[in-house]
Amino acid sequence: MDRRIMRAALGCLLLVMGSGVGCSPGAARSHSASVRPHVPAAKPSGGRADARAATAAAYRTWGLEPLAPPPAPPSRKPAGRRAADGGVPVISEIPTDQKIVFLTFDDGAEKDPEFVKMMRELRIPFTMFLTDSAIRSDYGYFKQLQGLGDSVQNHTLTHPNLRTLGAAAQRQEICGQQEKLKAEYGSAPRLMRPPYGNWNENTRAAAASCGIEAIVLWRESMQIKNMQYQDAGKKLHPGDIILAHFRGPAELKGTSMTRMTANMLRHIHEQGFTVARLEDYL
């Protein structure tokens, strides 16, 4: 008898003796692939409903009413990556008819661990525009926020009024910060916000040369308890970008950053809006 057949027959004999499973010469080769260990069926889980319930409970812990979940992001981003003249666009709002707004936090002077806790629990998407002179004492703080899915973007090296600088100096401020942020956070930003909202055509040219895709301004700015509105009606509009800052009690007259953020979320909720992720639309 062919030795291969004899080995297969011997294997089958051992299987029969050990487990009562019958086989043919071909079955000895396929047995290990056909037999699977028993895996108990997974128990049904609440999934997203459980996550929403946990988030709603977290809102109550912070003294807030839950915001509605944001809508699914569009398949095609509605904000263009090029202005009409082909240069870097300057954007203050996102074109949409949905009742969503976008949160942005600037600078990075305040590094409150309670703010990290708050954002982890509430799952609020936001964008950070960071200045190196403000964050260099603790790059790791912002890595925690980045780890929650919130992106790091460019707010220059030293926070100057860019309109007072020449083209080369503006490029150094923007490109220099691109390099710093890429080294610390793993990728170069796509977006840039000029300090004080001040920019000129040299800013657009510098931003383009540094790999920036859009300059991002804002429609509202959060103070301590109230918002400042550019709109005369003093209300939010779909697609508005809101400016806030990493600031603490020294700048907020004794108010913490988390309390200021809670006040901002109340204004958003009271006007029937929710918060979406800026990078999904831009």
Side-chain angles (χ1 to χ4, degrees):
M1 183 184 292
D2 186 279
R3 291 182 180 180
R4 290 174 294 178
I5 297 176
M6 291 178 65
R7 284 198 296 269
L10 179 59
C12 285
L13 178 62
L14 292 174
L15 287 169
V16 170
M17 293 173 64
S19 64
V21 176
C23 62
S24 65
R29 293 190 297 272
S30 63
H31 177 76
S32 61
S34 62
V35 176
R36 296 287 186 272
H38 174 68
V39 178
K43 294 181 179 180
S45 129
R48 292 182 181 177
D50 288 347
R52 286 197 294 269
T55 302
Y59 270 94
R60 290 191 291 271
T61 299
W62 291 97
L64 296 166
E65 291 293 325
L67 296 178
S75 57
R76 182 175 181 179
K77 296 181 180 182
R81 302 253 181 118
R82 287 286 174 234
D85 62 3
V88 173
V90 180
I91 293 171
S92 299
E93 74 281 322
I94 300 297
T96 179
D97 58 3
Q98 296 178 310
K99 295 197 76 173
I100 54 175
V101 293
F102 304 93
L103 300 189
T104 62
F105 287 84
D106 279 14
D107 302 344
E110 178 69 9
K111 304 167 184 68
D112 184 353
E114 284 296 297
F115 180 72
V116 178
K117 181 174 183 287
M118 183 185 208
M119 293 296 102
R120 180 181 294 117
E121 293 177 355
L122 299 186
R123 303 168 185 258
I124 300 290
F126 64 93
T127 302
M128 296 175 277
F129 288 92
L130 301 179
T131 296
D132 189 65
S133 59
I135 69 172
R136 67 176 60 151
S137 63
D138 189 359
Y139 291 120
Y141 174 83
F142 303 95
K143 287 181 182 178
Q144 297 176 75
L145 296 170
Q146 184 189 38
L148 301 178
D150 303 304
S151 76
V152 171
Q153 305 295 345
N154 191 322
H155 197 42
T156 72
L157 283 171
T158 66
H159 206 272
N161 179 349
L162 292 175
R163 283 207 298 247
T164 68
L165 303 181
Q170 288 201 43
R171 190 175 187 281
Q172 174 57 32
E173 282 286 340
I174 299 169
C175 291
Q177 183 66 337
Q178 289 288 90
E179 295 170 5
K180 290 272 189 180
L181 294 176
K182 182 178 181 179
E184 294 296 333
Y185 301 104
S187 61
R190 295 192 301 107
L191 310 176
M192 176 261 177
R193 172 170 285 159
Y196 316 107
N198 290 341
W199 61 278
N200 56 23
E201 289 306 310
N202 284 335
T203 312
R204 292 180 68 209
S209 71
C210 300
I212 295 293
E213 296 177 9
I215 292 172
V216 179
L217 302 180
W218 60 89
R219 285 299 184 199
E220 293 82 29
S221 61
M222 185 62 199
Q223 303 305 305
I224 299 173
K225 295 182 179 180
N226 298 308
M227 284 189 187
Q228 289 185 348
Y229 297 87
Q230 294 180 15
D231 178 71
K234 297 188 180 301
K235 63 181 182 179
L236 297 172
H237 296 86
D240 279 0
I241 297 171
I242 301 174
L243 164 66
H245 290 86
F246 286 95
R247 289 178 178 164
E251 298 83 12
L252 300 176
K253 298 181 180 179
T255 299
S256 67
M257 184 172 177
T258 53
R259 185 170 297 178
M260 179 269 292
T261 302
N263 290 336
M264 176 169 59
L265 295 175
R266 286 190 190 97
H267 285 292
I268 293 169
H269 180 270
E270 287 167 0
Q271 297 185 51
F273 284 78
T274 193
V275 177
R277 184 176 182 268
L278 178 62
E279 290 76 7
D280 289 340
Y281 290 77
L282 176 58

